[in-house]
């Protein structure tokens, strides 16, 4: 761990739609250090993917726009929120790489694997075609593909889903990025392949010391590789901490709900996983108080009237929930989560 590679401060992103403004990201701040894996977790629509895609400036504007006062400082020198598209093209695929959920839609079906990987290398690095192909072959070997030289000549549709995701990872690593953003990298894959891809990402992260932002709704994936976690709900960070803080000492009822939906090795295989009842609020008109209040079994009067700030739990761990106020009534964490449950 070392200096921050990314400092996101008060990021607010909205979409201007016919029916009004959707406030998708509402004041997100976090820091990612070099060599660190930060997981951003939450249900779909919580703003995690919009946050990630805004860091790479992948969302067209309009309809999206980054609001005044937002800052995304990359590598201590690039203010991403103010960069032009041509400046971003130099950074994307070079200093930052992205792995998407579905490689079939993000790989080019008309180009061979080798041509796609070497294209990025040729664009950003001074290499000849044959050097770029050699590097592409090395990358395929790095991501665990056998017969890499033969694979270079295959098209994406000739590969399995897991292999395509490996190609996507090779592609994202082509220029040794300082930051890799993996947006639900395993969601489209079956369970055994998911585990292999997570192992691969963890291996690569350890070997290359790349900083990674992992976007997922799956806390099982988080447990496998994250150092730090931020939990998002309705466009805001509701809890932040180390992996241990979030798994063993979670302090927000929404995090409790997410943890209750993680399968455990010792649980009855036929038991239904708990999902959180209710739906997130409408971000055209976010509620005045805590956005989780309508779904929270612990909601108090204050929750519906005043949005809680983050309460400090310990160094680096905080939660935006009134239950952490020193005068709040004591409530017990639901059975089966917290210390002891995932050890
Ligand atoms: Fe529940 Fe209130 Fe905490 Fe929001 S602030 S999560 S409503 S207890």
């Amino acid at each position: 761990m070392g200096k921050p590679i990314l400092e996101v401060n008060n990021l607010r992103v909205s979409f201007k739609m016919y029916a009004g403004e959707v406030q998708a990201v509402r004041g997100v701040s976090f820091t990612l250090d070099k060599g660190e894996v930060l997981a951003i977790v939450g249900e779909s629509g919580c703003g995690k993917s919009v946050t990630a895609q805004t860091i790479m400036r992948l969302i067209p504007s309009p309809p999206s726009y980054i609001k005044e006062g937002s800052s995304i400082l990359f590598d201590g020198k690039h203010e991403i929120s103010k960069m032009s598209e041509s400046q971003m093209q130099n950074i994307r695929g070079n200093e930052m790489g992205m792995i998407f959920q579905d490689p079939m839609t993000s790989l080019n079906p008309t180009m061979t694997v080798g041509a796609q990987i070497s294209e990025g290398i040729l664009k950003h690095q001074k290499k000849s075609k044959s050097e770029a192909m050699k590097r592409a072959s090395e990358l395929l070997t790095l991501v665990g593909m056998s017969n890499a030289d033969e694979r270079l000549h295959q098209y994406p549709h000739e590969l399995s889903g897991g292999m395509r995701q490996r190609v996507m990872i090779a592609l994202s690593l082509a220029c040794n990025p300082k930051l890799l953003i993996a947006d639900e990298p395993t969601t489209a894959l079956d369970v055994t392949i998911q585990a292999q891809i997570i192992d691969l990402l963890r291996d690569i992260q350890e070997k290359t010391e790349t900083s990674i932002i992992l976007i997922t709704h799956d806390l099982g994936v988080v447990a496998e590789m994250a150092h730090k976690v931020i939990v998002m709900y309705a466009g805001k960070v509701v809890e932040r901490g180390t992996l241990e803080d979030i798994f063993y000492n979670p302090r927000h009822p929404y995090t409790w709900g997410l943890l209750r939906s993680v399968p455990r090795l010792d649980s009855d295989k036929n038991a239904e996983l708990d999902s959180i009842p209710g739906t997130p609020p409408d971000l055209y008109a976010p509620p005045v108080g805590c956005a989780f209040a309508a779904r929270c079994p612990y909601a108090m009067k204050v929750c519906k009237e005043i949005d809680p700030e983050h309460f400090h739990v310990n160094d680096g761990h905080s939660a935006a929930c009134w239950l952490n106020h020193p005068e709040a009534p004591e409530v017990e964490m639901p059975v089966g989560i917290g210390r002891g449950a995932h050890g």
Side-chain angles (χ1 to χ4, degrees):
M1 311 287 158
K3 277 199 320 188
I5 189 75
L6 186 72
E7 294 159 90
V8 175
N9 203 7
N10 193 28
L11 177 66
R12 292 183 301 143
V13 184
S14 284
F15 290 80
K16 277 211 174 119
M17 312 301 272
Y18 183 70
E21 178 186 327
V22 181
Q23 299 172 41
V25 177
R26 304 188 296 143
V28 164
S29 302
F30 64 86
T31 301
L32 177 69
D33 287 335
K34 285 187 179 155
E36 192 170 56
V37 180
L38 169 81
I40 307 183
V41 300
E43 293 163 296
S44 64
C46 70
K48 58 189 190 305
S49 287
V50 175
T51 301
Q53 291 184 20
T54 303
I55 292 166
M56 290 200 76
R57 296 280 303 276
L58 287 173
I59 310 179
S61 175
S64 87
Y65 67 102
I66 301 173
K67 293 182 116 175
E68 217 34 64
S70 305
S71 169
I72 305 168
L73 188 65
F74 175 61
D75 205 13
K77 51 182 186 273
H78 304 295
E79 179 48 60
I80 298 288
S81 65
K82 305 267 186 292
M83 286 190 137
S84 66
E85 180 50 28
S86 65
Q87 287 172 314
M88 276 315 294
Q89 279 178 11
N90 277 329
I91 289 194
R92 251 185 251 129
N94 185 18
E95 299 195 54
M96 285 186 194
M98 184 135 186
I99 303 166
F100 296 93
Q101 180 180 136
D102 182 0
M104 201 54 197
T105 53
S106 31
L107 292 173
N108 182 340
T110 69
M111 283 170 80
T112 62
V113 163
Q116 291 188 60
I117 301 175
S118 58
E119 189 183 46
I121 298 169
L122 290 168
K123 188 170 162 196
H124 296 292
Q125 295 181 356
K126 288 193 179 73
K127 283 199 186 323
S128 68
K129 266 192 179 167
S130 64
E131 284 169 334
M133 272 299 196
K134 186 165 173 280
R135 171 85 179 127
S137 171
E138 286 165 6
L139 284 162
L140 290 182
T141 305
L142 176 74
V143 299
M145 289 178 78
S146 53
N147 307 323
D149 287 341
E150 286 164 35
R151 302 282 186 197
L152 290 174
H153 305 290
Q154 288 187 300
Y155 287 86
H157 70 271
E158 295 176 300
L159 303 170
S160 66
M163 287 291 182
R164 285 198 288 267
Q165 195 54 300
R166 285 175 194 268
V167 170
M168 192 70 230
I169 294 170
L171 196 62
S172 70
L173 292 171
C175 297
N176 303 316
K178 294 176 179 153
L179 171 66
L180 203 56
I181 300 182
D183 190 357
E184 302 278 7
T186 60
T187 305
L189 305 170
D190 73 43
V191 179
T192 30
I193 309 293
Q194 279 184 11
Q196 291 172 11
I197 295 293
I198 291 299
D199 281 352
L200 171 64
L201 279 174
R202 201 175 41 202
D203 255 30
I204 286 174
Q205 195 276 328
E206 279 165 12
K207 272 186 204 143
T208 60
E209 297 216 323
T210 310
S211 308
I212 298 183
I213 296 180
L214 176 68
I215 309 291
T216 181
H217 64 278
D218 183 345
L219 279 171
V221 171
V222 173
E224 292 293 325
M225 62 181 294
H227 301 120
K228 282 196 318 205
V229 182
I230 65 178
V231 180
M232 280 187 73
Y233 185 76
K236 290 192 171 189
V237 175
V238 295
E239 184 158 8
R240 68 173 78 246
T242 62
L243 183 69
E244 288 74 22
D245 293 331
I246 299 298
F247 275 71
Y248 297 136
N249 187 25
R251 301 295 282 266
H252 195 288
Y254 180 63
T255 314
W256 297 347
L258 290 180
L259 284 163
R260 283 171 70 104
S261 59
V262 180
R264 289 174 48 197
L265 289 176
D266 59 355
S267 60
D268 175 357
K269 290 199 173 36
N270 298 317
E272 295 256 325
L273 291 173
D274 285 332
S275 60
I276 304 169
T279 47
D282 180 357
L283 293 180
Y284 275 111
V288 178
C290 169
F292 191 56
R295 303 171 77 184
C296 179
Y298 312 95
M300 301 169 280
K301 189 165 184 289
V302 64
C303 305
K304 293 175 184 146
E305 292 166 2
I306 307 173
D307 196 11
E309 293 294 323
H310 272 252
F311 289 92
H312 174 90
V313 180
N314 64 38
D315 237 10
H317 184 193
S318 67
C321 169
W322 285 114
L323 292 176
N324 295 285
H325 187 283
E327 306 290 320
E330 287 242 345
V331 302
E332 285 209 3
M333 225 184 271
V335 179
I337 60 168
R339 194 160 291 285
H342 295 269

